[in-house]
Amino acid sequence: MSFVPTPSIRVPDTPTILYCRCAYAQVVPTGVKNEVLGKLCESSTSFETVADLCEMAAHRDPRLQAIASCAKLRIAACYPRAVRGLFQQAGSPLPENAEILNMRTQTAGEVTEALLQSQI
Amino acid sequence: MITHTHRPLRVVLYEGTGCIALPTEARAKVMMTLLDKGYAVTRSGRGASAMPHDDCSLLVLGAFEGKAPALEDATGQITIDTRDITGLEPDAIISLVEKSRGDKPMNEPGKWKPWFPVIDYTRCTNCMQCLSFCLFDVYGVSEDNKIQVQNNDNCKTNCPACSRVCPEVAIMFPKYQGGPINGDEVNENEAKREKIKVDISSLLGGDIYSTLKDRSTAFKSRFSKERSADKALDERKKCLTKLVGDGFIPADVLASLPSTDEILKKAEAAKAKAAAALAAQ
Ligand code: SF4
Ligand code: SF4
């Protein structure tokens, strides 16, 4: 049986959601990142998660290229300037229209609302 | 030197057609635990678009009610393993993932802190001060003479000293606590203050106090002034000691400085590299 890992229902033009766990050095408040992940899990939507974008950028993880190639992206991580810099430095700049939510400064509610906008 | 990530698996929690969804709490617990162990996890439900896959193997977990399908990648590039998780508790699901990975190496949180400078190229003016400053060869110059972070594994954990020498506040350390070094927006007034600090700690040229008095002269002279090697070395150490005293960089960075001879050699090499790149601009 052939398989391509796509969600069971493809919704055209819907953004890819990416959640960064910041697992290697916890600069994102634990309460916020747990709540954001919890809310994503409560929803029925598909989403991607990575342990730590910094660690991936440090090692030029090829997965960053895959992430940056998504036409529409919503990322829950930290400061947008830092996240863009990490992707650029790893040789996979993010598209201009990528939305970056900052779990260091925004509330979990604000972040999840923006992530799940028009798809709950 | 960039070392590559060991990420042997992309875990897919499949809850699409043909599968029973996990209870919300169990799903969250499984995802959190796997992420904290260093795995990348995709939740495949409905809605949002999926990420294209890379060259990792996929481990597809689903409550297939005892009938986990045998799958193969339509492109033939990656291997896909499926595992039935019907009725399993979160801990058992985690064990199953760990067992599937076997002894394949994987980068894991807790063993290393991703600490390295990230350049904000929207601010960087390619002045090469960071390259001249760093004693650990973290910075280099690209083929088109642009400053680059080339050896991020050489960076000293918790030392953000080079961010202080950047006159444009263009160097970030995303794992740093405070802004703007952590990537927070740069307040232009603070940026000016940063520039003055930079000149105090200017490492390569002349008398640091006269540098403070006349920043523009100092800037012009940074790469041209005749200076004694001893003085440059002394200033570099003074600056680092001051930064340690301020609690800005960890004391063990001072302890791990290269030998005096090496510092002088490195400073010369960095200066030559920076001057060559600047001249070629
Ligand atoms: S990108 Fe931000 S949230 Fe993600 S690992 Fe790095 S510092 Fe943490
Ligand atoms: S010191 Fe700052 S502005 Fe100068 S090259 Fe380095 S990052 Fe760019």
Side-chain angles (χ1 to χ4, degrees), chain B residues 79-136:
Chain B
T79 57
I80 307 174
D81 267 344
T82 47
R83 293 281 187 282
D84 184 31
I85 54 168
T86 311
L88 293 187
E89 292 296 321
D91 289 349
I93 298 174
I94 305 300
S95 310
L96 196 141
V97 173
E98 300 269 59
K99 211 169 130 205
S100 301
R101 171 166 70 98
D103 52 12
K104 287 186 207 119
M106 186 173 82
N107 294 2
E108 289 172 62
K111 296 194 173 157
W112 172 72
K113 183 172 180 176
W115 182 270
F116 55 95
V118 176
I119 299 175
D120 177 349
Y121 286 98
T122 64
R123 300 189 66 87
C124 172
T125 55
N126 214 32
C127 72
M128 302 287 158
Q129 286 199 54
C130 47
L131 185 146
S132 304
F133 174 80
C134 179
L135 289 173
F136 303 101

Side-chain angles (χ1 to χ4, degrees), chain A residues 1-19 21-27 33-35 37-38 40-64 66-70 73 78-86 88-89 104-105 119, chain B residues 2-5 7 10 12 14-17 24 27-28 31-32 35-36 38-55 58 60 69-74 80 107-110 112-114 116-121 123 149 152-153 169-170 172 174-178 180 182-186:
Chain A
M1 184 173 172
S2 282
F3 176 86
V4 179
T6 51
S8 53
I9 301 172
R10 259 191 169 283
V11 182
D13 288 337
T14 51
T16 303
I17 294 172
L18 173 72
Y19 166 90
R21 181 74 179 161
C22 201
Y24 276 70
Q26 326 248 338
V27 294
K33 68 180 182 183
N34 284 352
E35 203 181 324
L37 185 57
L40 285 173
C41 283
E42 268 169 32
S43 77
S44 53
T45 194
S46 296
F47 59 93
E48 303 288 334
T49 63
V50 295
D52 194 295
L53 282 172
C54 286
E55 183 268 339
M56 292 170 78
H59 298 124
R60 309 291 192 262
D61 191 319
R63 191 122 206 268
L64 293 172
I67 296 170
S69 72
C70 294
L73 256 178
C78 60
Y79 292 99
R81 209 163 67 88
V83 176
R84 285 192 182 277
L86 284 166
Q88 167 140 19
Q89 197 151 293
R104 287 181 82 164
T105 58
Q119 48 184 61
Chain B
I2 306 294
T3 50
H4 282 280
T5 305
R7 198 176 317 286
R10 172 182 175 188
V12 178
Y14 183 76
E15 298 185 300
T17 312
T24 302
R27 181 184 306 126
M31 294 200 72
M32 247 173 233
L35 286 166
D36 288 338
Y39 290 92
V41 190
T42 300
R43 190 271 182 114
S44 180
R46 63 184 174 80
S49 300
M51 194 84 81
H53 54 75
D54 48 29
D55 56 356
L58 288 185
V60 182
L71 302 173
E72 67 180 61
D73 171 27
I80 307 174
N107 294 2
E108 289 172 62
W112 172 72
K113 183 172 180 176
F116 55 95
V118 176
I119 299 175
D120 177 349
Y121 286 98
R123 300 189 66 87
V149 175
N152 50 19
D153 288 357
V169 203
M172 303 175 282
K175 300 288 196 197
Y176 189 70
Q177 280 307 329
N182 59 13
D184 198 356
E185 285 311 315
V186 180

Side-chain angles (χ1 to χ4, degrees), chain B residues 48-277:
Chain B
S49 300
M51 194 84 81
H53 54 75
D54 48 29
D55 56 356
C56 285
S57 302
L58 288 185
L59 175 65
V60 182
L61 308 172
F64 296 105
E65 294 187 279
K67 286 174 251 140
L71 302 173
E72 67 180 61
D73 171 27
T75 66
Q77 286 170 356
I78 52 170
T79 57
I80 307 174
D81 267 344
T82 47
R83 293 281 187 282
D84 184 31
I85 54 168
T86 311
L88 293 187
E89 292 296 321
D91 289 349
I93 298 174
I94 305 300
S95 310
L96 196 141
V97 173
E98 300 269 59
K99 211 169 130 205
S100 301
R101 171 166 70 98
D103 52 12
K104 287 186 207 119
M106 186 173 82
N107 294 2
E108 289 172 62
K111 296 194 173 157
W112 172 72
K113 183 172 180 176
W115 182 270
F116 55 95
V118 176
I119 299 175
D120 177 349
Y121 286 98
T122 64
R123 300 189 66 87
C124 172
T125 55
N126 214 32
C127 72
M128 302 287 158
Q129 286 199 54
C130 47
L131 185 146
S132 304
F133 174 80
C134 179
L135 289 173
F136 303 101
D137 302 325
V138 170
Y139 294 91
V141 178
S142 67
E143 275 174 15
D144 57 347
N145 296 306
K146 294 273 180 315
I147 190 74
Q148 251 185 356
V149 175
Q150 286 181 346
N151 297 305
N152 50 19
D153 288 357
N154 283 4
C155 189
K156 298 288 161 196
T157 304
N158 296 332
C159 173
C162 58
S163 67
R164 275 284 175 92
V165 304
C166 172
E168 306 301 334
V169 203
I171 298 178
M172 303 175 282
F173 286 84
K175 300 288 196 197
Y176 189 70
Q177 280 307 329
I181 295 172
N182 59 13
D184 198 356
E185 285 311 315
V186 180
N187 167 331
E188 294 306 330
N189 289 334
E190 273 173 19
K192 276 186 205 126
R193 275 215 301 280
E194 282 292 327
K195 285 184 193 182
I196 295 170
K197 279 185 210 137
V198 166
D199 287 343
I200 296 172
S201 56
S202 180
L203 302 166
L204 292 174
D207 175 340
I208 49 174
Y209 298 104
S210 63
T211 305
L212 176 62
K213 277 187 220 131
D214 187 345
R215 287 168 49 206
S216 64
T217 311
F219 185 81
K220 281 182 214 124
S221 67
R222 203 159 278 139
F223 291 108
S224 57
K225 203 168 187 170
E226 286 291 315
R227 51 184 110 84
S228 87
D230 280 354
K231 203 166 180 184
L233 176 66
D234 197 42
E235 279 161 12
R236 198 179 280 256
K237 279 190 172 158
K238 233 189 253 169
C239 167
L240 288 168
T241 310
K242 181 178 182 304
L243 292 173
V244 170
D246 289 350
F248 193 69
I249 59 173
D252 61 349
V253 172
L254 262 197
S256 64
L257 284 183
S259 70
T260 303
D261 278 356
E262 246 177 297
I263 291 180
L264 290 174
K265 244 195 270 160
K266 278 176 190 293
E268 278 307 306
K271 195 178 86 182
K273 228 196 255 180

